[in-house]
Amino acid sequence: MSDRNARNPWLNFLFEEQKRNYQMNSVEGFHGALLISQELLQHGGMYMQSHFAQACDMALKLKDHRDPAVHRAAIALLPVLARYSPQEFTRAGSGGSESMLGRACNYLITLSRASDRDRATAFLALGSIAQYCSTEFRSFLEPTTRAIRDALIQRAKMRIPPAEADETVAAVLQTIATLATAMGPALTRYMRDILDLMFTAGLSQALCDSLLVLEREVGQLQPAIQGRLLDMVSIILVGVPFRPTQQSLDDLEQRMGAMSMHYAAGANGHRANAGAATNGNGAGAGGGRDTYTVPAGDSTSLVVRAASSIPVTVDTLVLALRTLRVFDFSEENLSEFVRNDILQYLNHSSPVVRREAIHAVAHIVMADPLYRSMAGAGVEVASEVVQRLVSAAVIDLDRDVRLMAVQMLEQSSHFDFHMGKAQNIQDLFLLLNDEVFAVRVTVLAVIGRLANMNPAHVMPSLRRMVVQLLTELEFARTNREREECIQLLMVL
């Protein structure tokens, strides 16, 4: 109570300043009044309850001001008002007049269609209002999604390159995510015409963030989202859309000793354009999926067209590989995709791409139960992944890549069955001489775990390693050498 009494004089002072600024009838005064009102609503507690209607009137009067700063400050105040008192914001006015919610949403929807300059601001405000007034916003959901669709169509017609940054698209994607959080499955029916259009702006972090929220909040869209994402990622990495593994055809190709023609076509030329020529060691670089219905025609034609026009840069490759580990694609069989395509990026010239490729393949193999068994279709792929990770940890010139590789091996015991092979154990012991201490510590933890898997190959070398560490500890010249020896021995 004493804290509240102490705050009231300052809140009264700020409110009087807000009124004084508003009465100045100038650009600076209006802008100051809007900013003070926003701060009072956000940090003044219940103080503004009695002044709520006045703040609403001020926002409505100044929303069309000719000065951009005042205009945008008034728009920014609308969602703040909705958050402060959703009941008052959605309550109809005296005499049955339109509620503040109706007046604000109708204005913002119209603004999102009429003004290119304020379109992003209008969409973000709409999303925030939906978040705070989700039940009452349902009547505005259809016109809002229609405005979103029209904005994406307009961008597609302008033929803006997918990789080019666009403030409006980023705001639209963020608004879709906010609407999904606020409305949940009620958004499903409105996504028919929007989902494909979301991909026309190309693969971006904003798109991935929005799709992650859609997957979580609107589960019915998950098959459609993942199908389109896999197509886009596959086109970026391979040059062709993703082809789900067909067991009978793949078995036939394996018996014939031939790689899938689908991936062979993508391998010819595309990776050369992707810049996967040599790595730091001088090595050479190596319609029925979803149940969600879309309008007539090829459901992913827009996705394929957009992905095909994305310039393949290091940043694009990193984002595509990161997408594979961020999203849960365990419902798809990615065995051939991992083996023939993703693993090739462990030889890319950029260490950033190599690190992300290691993280992606490790995540796919660790997350899918198919690759955890000691027999079956996933054993060969898991064994090849482990072998490539061990090789990368041994021969890569970049210390961060080597550390990432051994960390992936250390994080999951599911790899132990494959790491227990004699050749892999021999290579892991070579890493105990790595110049990076973190690599030595991590790989020693892996070796210690493998002692139970294959003691015949691990224990003799491990005994020699312990004797060597004790000898180095005895004759160490610096405190740092002693500390490292002790830490290594404690790992065991």
Side-chain angles (χ1 to χ4, degrees):
M1 181 66 69
S2 60
D3 180 63
R4 183 183 301 176
N5 292 333
R7 291 176 62 191
N8 277 338
W10 289 105
L11 296 176
N12 289 330
F13 171 76
L14 288 173
F15 184 71
E16 292 300 323
E17 280 294 304
Q18 179 256 321
K19 290 198 298 183
R20 188 179 65 82
N21 275 272
Y22 185 72
Q23 292 168 358
M24 289 171 58
N25 201 27
S26 65
V27 171
E28 293 79 6
F30 290 148
H31 192 216
L34 290 167
L35 294 179
I36 293 174
S37 294
Q38 184 170 332
E39 294 301 316
L40 286 172
L41 289 165
Q42 290 177 332
H43 306 292
M46 298 299 294
Y47 179 83
M48 287 293 289
Q49 193 69 41
S50 58
H51 308 295
F52 184 80
Q54 181 179 343
C56 291
D57 290 340
M58 181 171 60
L60 291 174
K61 289 178 181 178
L62 297 178
K63 61 182 173 52
D64 293 317
H65 197 277
R66 64 180 183 275
D67 184 80
V70 175
H71 170 64
R72 294 190 177 184
I75 294 175
L77 186 59
L78 296 175
V80 176
L81 291 165
R83 180 183 182 182
Y84 182 81
S85 181
Q87 296 82 7
E88 292 292 332
F89 196 79
T90 57
R91 184 179 300 168
S94 58
S97 60
E98 191 175 20
S99 66
M100 183 66 187
L101 172 67
R103 299 171 71 180
C105 289
N106 288 328
Y107 168 75
L108 292 172
I109 292 170
T110 302
L111 184 65
S112 69
R113 295 177 176 278
S115 172
D116 293 339
R117 183 187 62 183
D118 298 316
R119 184 169 291 144
T121 306
F123 278 127
L124 292 175
L126 280 168
S128 297
I129 291 174
Q131 190 174 7
Y132 305 132
C133 309
S134 56
T135 302
E136 294 79 4
F137 190 83
R138 288 179 181 271
S139 58
F140 300 98
L141 185 56
E142 182 176 358
T144 300
T145 53
R146 196 159 53 239
I148 288 174
R149 181 199 63 189
D150 293 344
L152 292 174
I153 290 176
Q154 180 179 348
R155 185 195 187 280
K157 288 181 178 179
M158 294 171 64
R159 300 187 181 277
I160 300 175
E164 190 170 316
D166 190 323
E167 181 186 9
T168 299
V169 171
V172 165
L173 295 173
Q174 184 177 338
T175 302
I176 292 173
T178 309
L179 290 175
T181 303
M183 313 307 297
L187 187 64
T188 306
R189 61 189 291 253
Y190 301 106
M191 293 301 297
R192 285 179 58 92
D193 302 326
I194 295 178
L195 190 59
D196 281 337
L197 290 169
M198 293 172 66
F199 287 87
T200 58
L203 189 65
S204 65
Q205 190 60 54
L207 175 65
C208 292
D209 293 342
S210 181
L211 294 177
L212 277 172
V213 176
L214 275 175
E215 266 197 348
R216 184 182 69 243
E217 303 294 340
V218 191
Q220 299 92 323
L221 297 178
Q222 181 176 6
I225 290 171
Q226 293 195 353
R228 286 151 178 76
L229 261 182
L230 281 174
D231 280 336
M232 178 162 279
V233 168
S234 180
I235 290 173
I236 292 172
L237 297 178
V238 191
V240 292
F242 176 75
R243 190 202 72 171
T245 301
Q246 302 173 13
Q247 194 62 40
S248 58
L249 178 59
D250 292 337
D251 289 344
L252 176 62
E253 290 173 347
Q254 186 175 5
R255 289 196 298 270
M256 296 175 62
M259 185 177 72
S260 166
M261 292 301 294
H262 172 86
Y263 289 99
N268 293 331
H270 182 76
R271 290 195 190 92
N273 295 332
T278 58
N279 63 11
N281 310 308
R289 274 198 309 278
D290 55 318
T291 58
Y292 176 76
T293 57
V294 294
D298 184 1
S299 63
T300 59
S301 58
L302 288 174
V303 179
V304 172
R305 193 181 310 124
S308 301
S309 60
I310 297 176
V312 181
T313 63
V314 168
D315 291 340
T316 307
L317 293 175
V318 168
L319 184 56
L321 292 167
R322 186 177 300 148
T323 301
L324 290 174
R325 67 174 172 84
V326 170
F327 287 83
D328 180 15
F329 293 112
S330 57
E331 296 298 320
E332 290 283 0
N333 187 346
L334 301 181
S335 298
E336 190 174 356
F337 191 37
V338 169
R339 177 189 298 174
N340 298 325
D341 300 307
I342 306 176
L343 282 177
Q344 306 306 316
Y345 282 92
L346 268 65
N347 297 324
H348 195 273
S349 57
S350 169
V352 181
V353 174
R354 298 202 298 275
R355 283 201 306 272
E356 203 59 54
I358 288 172
H359 207 165
V361 295
H363 172 80
I364 292 171
V365 173
M366 286 190 294
D368 196 333
L370 173 69
Y371 306 106
R372 300 177 190 172
S373 60
M374 298 183 183
V379 172
E380 186 177 346
V381 175
S383 178
E384 186 171 349
V385 167
V386 169
Q387 185 178 352
R388 292 295 298 273
L389 291 181
V390 172
S391 298
V394 173
I395 68 175
D396 203 286
L397 294 181
D398 188 89
R399 56 188 296 164
D400 294 330
V401 174
R402 298 198 304 276
L403 180 59
M404 173 66 74
V406 294
Q407 285 176 339
M408 293 299 101
L409 296 173
E410 191 267 341
Q411 282 181 7
S412 177
S413 60
H414 300 308
F415 288 147
D416 290 357
F417 173 71
H418 306 287
M419 285 191 294
K421 296 179 181 178
Q423 182 60 52
N424 288 335
I425 291 174
Q426 183 179 349
D427 291 340
L428 288 174
F429 271 103
L430 292 176
L431 284 170
L432 292 175
N433 299 310
D434 196 279
E435 63 180 0
V436 180
F437 179 69
V439 172
R440 301 202 300 273
V441 171
T442 307
V443 79
L444 191 57
V446 175
I447 292 173
R449 199 173 66 209
L450 293 177
N452 296 325
M453 178 68 64
N454 193 345
H457 285 88
V458 175
M459 294 308 297
S461 299
L462 194 57
R463 290 191 191 99
R464 290 194 295 270
M465 181 65 193
V466 171
V467 172
Q468 179 183 339
L469 287 174
L470 291 172
T471 304
E472 291 179 359
L473 178 61
E474 181 180 357
F475 296 100
R477 296 183 178 181
T478 64
N479 290 333
R480 180 178 179 181
E481 292 176 353
R482 295 189 188 93
E483 183 181 353
E484 289 183 352
C485 291
I486 292 172
Q487 288 185 25
L488 290 171
L489 288 169
M490 289 177 63
V491 171
L492 297 174

